[in-house]
């Protein structure tokens, strides 16, 4: 999706439907991977390098463990190129940012799952379209060299190239492949993304030339993204129809078959309502029927800072968690569940990474997801046009506390996956202020600005409005 920390409101009707559960009976999955995006390290893109736990954070490993134990076996980890390799693409890595990124990747892969390294930059570096393929190759040689020995790492060339010359997109992808392989990463998969936000529904119109990419290891996978709202931007909780998921993948499926390529849907989601649930399940079922070319899919998104975002899959109080995990679970690869169970009996090192956004007034911290569950207000829905601007990842209103939420016992984590005391301590807060707003004033941690935002722009006393990106500002 096009801007990763956009948060907009979901309707109360969608929230009420969150209490409804669909049949979670398992299907025979032909997928290699099914998982989720673990967002956070790419937040605060207007504050480079930014401050850890203020402008950006890293995924919550306890939450990853919960999704892993449910059967997921792949996690895409967005990060910013400018934070990892600052100043110049040919430069050295930032040791602190790399250390935290490596901890997250190591935690995922030691659990037996695959970790996707995702430079979430839209084909840009420091705000400018990347045109120097040699520099891009150098960037990838540096990054791949840091992870070349980890066979469960997948390299994603760049998130959602858009509004770029198509030959340039081809050449940047080939440069990335060459840089990765020259770093000694000989056996890992490489995910190729296309122009026009790598949309599956218009792939054949925009990205046909990418079929000419070459890899000496023959391990290229074409990563496409697909949302189900009217403009395919993922900025609305409303899906076009209950069959739109299947319909939007048909031409890309034929392209993959015709060109003998493999595909993967790296981002998809739908609102918490019956029509979207049917559309998402229909899409996954269609992909499963064509698993000779589709290797799997990843939900957008999980992560500790999504709060009441309408697609939030963060365990266990994310807006979409209780509705969509049972649907996704139907398509988890059978070997993923087996490896998850096996890994739970072994010693997987729990890595303590930042879980919460700290208060701007002191060392105390507040869990954004906990804040969302504490809020009892539901906001009006809004949507953004993809044609006019990069789309974002919006959020829905907080789940009303009066609505019962059923968490299936089959998704409980195994005993050996209980987080260490340090992880529990770092993710717990005794006082969680509401992020909702009242009287035209946004409370601390509430939204206070951004494109399409029509709510309060003034923060309560003691906090100020801080821009996270063009679409989302927050009281801190």
């Amino acid at each position: 999706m096009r801007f990763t920390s956009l948060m907009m409101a979901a309707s109360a009707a969608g929230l009420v439907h969150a209490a409804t559960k669909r049949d979670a009976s398992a299907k025979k999955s032909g997928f290699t991977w099914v998982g989720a995006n673990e967002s956070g390290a790419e937040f605060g893109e207007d504050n480079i390098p930014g401050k850890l736990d203020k402008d950006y954070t890293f995924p919550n490993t306890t939450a990853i463990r919960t999704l892993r134990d449910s059967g997921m076996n792949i996690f895409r980890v967005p990060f910013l190129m400018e934070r990892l390799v600052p100043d110049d693409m040919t430069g050295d890595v930032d040791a602190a940012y790399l250390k935290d990124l490596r901890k997250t990747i190591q935690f995922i892969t030691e659990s037996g799952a695959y970790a996707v390294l995702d430079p979430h930059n839209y084909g840009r570096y420091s705000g400018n379209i990347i045109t120097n393929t040699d520099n891009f190759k150098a960037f990838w040689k540096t990054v791949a060299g840091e992870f070349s020995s980890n066979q469960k790492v997948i390299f994603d060339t760049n998130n959602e190239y858009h509004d770029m010359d198509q030959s340039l997109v081809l050449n940047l992808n080939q440069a990335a492949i060459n840089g990765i392989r020259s770093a000694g990463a000989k056996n890992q998969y490489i995910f190729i993304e296309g122009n026009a936000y790598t949309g599956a529904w218009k792939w054949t119109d925009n990205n046909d030339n990418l079929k000419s990419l070459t890899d000496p290891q023959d391990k290229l996978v074409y990563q496409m993204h697909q949302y189900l709202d009217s403009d395919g931007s993922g900025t609305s909780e409303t899906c076009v129809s209950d069959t739109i998921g299947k319909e939007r993948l048909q031409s890309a499926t034929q392209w993959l078959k015709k060109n003998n390529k493999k595909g993967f849907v790296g981002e998809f989601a739908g609102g918490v309502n019956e029509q979207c649930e049917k559309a998402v399940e229909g899409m996954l079922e269609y992909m499963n029927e064509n698993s000779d070319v589709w290797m799997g899919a990843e939900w957008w998104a999980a992560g500790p800072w999504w709060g009441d975002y309408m697609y939030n899959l963060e365990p266990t109080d994310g807006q979409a968690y209780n509705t969509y995990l049972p649907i996704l679970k139907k398509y988890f690869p059978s070997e993923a569940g087996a490896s998850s169970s096996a890994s739970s009996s072994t010693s997987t090192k729990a890595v303590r990474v930042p879980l919460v956004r700290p208060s701007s007034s002191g060392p105390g911290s507040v869990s954004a997801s906990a804040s969302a569950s504490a809020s009892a207000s539901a906001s009006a829905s809004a949507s953004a046009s993809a044609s006019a601007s990069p789309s974002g990842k919006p959020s829905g209103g907080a789940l009303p506390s009066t609505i019962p939420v059923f968490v299936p016992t089959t998704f409980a984590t195994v005993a050996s996956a209980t987080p260490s005391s340090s992880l529990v301590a770092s993710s717990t807060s005794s006082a969680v202020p509401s992020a909702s707003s009242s009287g035209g004033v946004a409370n601390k941690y509430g939204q206070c600005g951004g494109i399409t935002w029509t709510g309060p722009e003034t923060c309560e006393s003691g906090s100020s409005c801080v821009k996270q990106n063009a679409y989302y500002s927050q009281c801190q």
Side-chain angles (χ1 to χ4, degrees):
M1 169 108 36
R2 302 168 207 176
F3 263 101
T4 60
S5 51
L6 164 62
M7 296 185 177
M8 296 165 12
S11 71
L15 295 169
V16 171
H17 188 72
T20 303
K21 295 291 150 277
R22 294 172 62 81
D23 174 31
S25 57
K27 295 180 179 288
K28 183 175 173 136
S29 174
F31 292 142
T32 302
W33 306 295
V34 177
N37 286 264
E38 287 290 339
S39 188
E42 84 286 16
F43 271 45
E45 58 197 15
D46 287 342
N47 296 306
I48 303 295
K51 294 183 179 179
L52 178 64
D53 288 339
K54 183 178 187 300
D55 300 303
Y56 67 95
T57 191
F58 280 87
N60 180 340
T61 53
T62 305
I64 294 174
R65 180 78 263 177
T66 298
L67 294 174
R68 177 70 181 118
D69 288 333
S70 76
M72 287 187 178
N73 70 339
I74 190 168
F75 299 92
R76 182 171 178 245
V77 183
F79 65 91
L80 290 184
M81 295 173 66
E82 299 89 345
R83 286 195 179 122
L84 185 60
V85 182
D87 302 323
D88 188 282
M89 283 188 290
T90 62
D92 297 326
V93 297
D94 179 85
Y97 193 74
L98 174 63
K99 180 180 178 181
D100 287 326
L101 180 62
R102 190 188 297 279
K103 284 179 180 178
T104 302
I105 299 301
Q106 182 178 346
F107 183 88
I108 292 168
T109 59
E110 285 186 353
S111 78
Y114 283 78
V116 182
L117 278 170
D118 163 35
H120 216 74
N121 279 69
Y122 309 92
R124 275 77 174 159
Y125 183 88
S126 296
N128 300 311
I129 291 176
I130 301 169
T131 58
N132 191 317
T133 55
D134 289 338
N135 287 359
F136 195 57
K137 176 183 176 180
F139 168 84
W140 266 116
K141 184 174 182 180
T142 297
V143 175
E146 298 289 344
F147 296 92
S148 60
S149 63
N150 191 332
Q151 301 305 303
K152 287 190 173 293
V153 167
I154 296 172
F155 303 107
D156 181 346
T157 64
N158 219 260
N159 179 69
E160 295 186 347
Y161 303 93
H162 69 88
D163 299 293
M164 297 167 61
D165 178 82
Q166 187 59 34
S167 296
L168 177 60
V169 173
L170 170 71
N171 293 335
L172 287 173
N173 272 296
Q174 189 63 60
I177 296 166
N178 297 344
I180 291 165
R181 297 309 184 206
S182 68
K186 301 295 186 184
N187 300 312
Q188 291 95 330
Y189 286 96
I190 298 175
F191 281 179
I192 300 301
E193 296 205 36
N195 211 353
Y197 300 98
T198 205
W201 61 330
K202 297 181 179 179
W203 182 269
T204 56
D205 296 333
N206 296 299
N207 293 298
D208 183 60
N209 70 335
L210 299 187
K211 65 190 178 188
S212 65
L213 291 168
T214 60
D215 174 25
Q217 306 303 316
D218 195 26
K219 300 195 80 169
L220 300 184
V221 178
Y222 289 79
Q223 183 190 148
M224 306 180 197
H225 297 171
Q226 192 58 64
Y227 294 92
L228 309 180
D229 46 356
S230 61
D231 58 9
S233 65
T235 56
S236 171
E237 64 179 355
T238 302
C239 295
V240 172
S241 70
D242 58 14
T243 59
I244 192 64
K246 172 182 177 179
E247 292 164 9
R248 285 186 172 173
L249 289 189
Q250 288 175 333
S251 62
T253 301
Q254 295 310 307
W255 184 89
L256 292 168
K257 289 177 181 287
K258 177 181 177 181
N259 294 291
N260 195 28
K261 305 297 184 184
K262 296 292 186 180
F264 182 81
V265 175
E267 292 185 15
F268 73 101
V272 180
N273 57 72
E274 187 172 3
Q275 182 156 289
C276 284
E277 290 169 41
K278 289 180 179 179
V280 166
E281 189 163 352
M283 184 182 81
L284 292 171
E285 183 63 25
Y286 175 74
M287 291 176 66
N288 193 44
E289 292 168 357
N290 291 278
S291 57
D292 57 322
V293 292
W294 289 112
M295 298 186 74
E298 287 172 315
W299 180 269
W300 182 273
W305 279 8
W306 279 122
D308 57 1
Y309 171 46
M310 64 182 171
Y311 300 152
N312 185 358
L313 200 72
E314 184 80 347
T316 54
D317 58 358
Q319 189 96 327
Y321 178 78
N322 292 305
T323 296
Y324 278 103
L325 186 63
I327 294 173
L328 296 175
K329 191 176 178 69
K330 298 179 185 182
Y331 299 94
F332 289 168
S334 57
E335 63 270 23
S339 64
S340 177
S341 299
S343 66
S344 66
S345 63
T346 62
S347 176
T348 299
K349 182 180 179 182
V351 181
R352 186 178 186 275
V353 297
L355 307 182
V356 294
R357 184 193 300 267
S359 167
S360 59
S361 59
S365 59
V366 175
S367 166
S369 59
S371 174
S373 64
S375 174
S377 64
S379 305
S381 65
S383 63
S385 169
S387 62
S389 59
S391 80
K393 309 246 186 343
S395 74
L399 185 65
S401 58
T402 57
I403 295 178
V405 177
F406 169 69
V407 181
T409 56
T410 54
F411 301 138
T413 56
V414 295
S416 61
T418 302
S420 66
S421 59
S422 64
L423 281 169
V424 173
S426 65
S427 61
T428 303
S429 175
S430 59
V432 182
S434 170
S436 63
S437 60
S438 61
V441 176
N443 293 346
K444 182 174 284 190
Y445 304 111
Q447 185 169 356
C448 56
I451 296 173
T452 76
W453 177 246
T454 58
E457 298 181 353
T458 302
C459 298
E460 67 179 2
S461 178
S463 62
S464 58
C465 192
V466 178
K467 182 179 179 181
Q468 296 296 318
N469 59 42
Y471 288 85
Y472 182 67
S473 297
Q474 183 187 58
C475 292
Q476 297 181 4

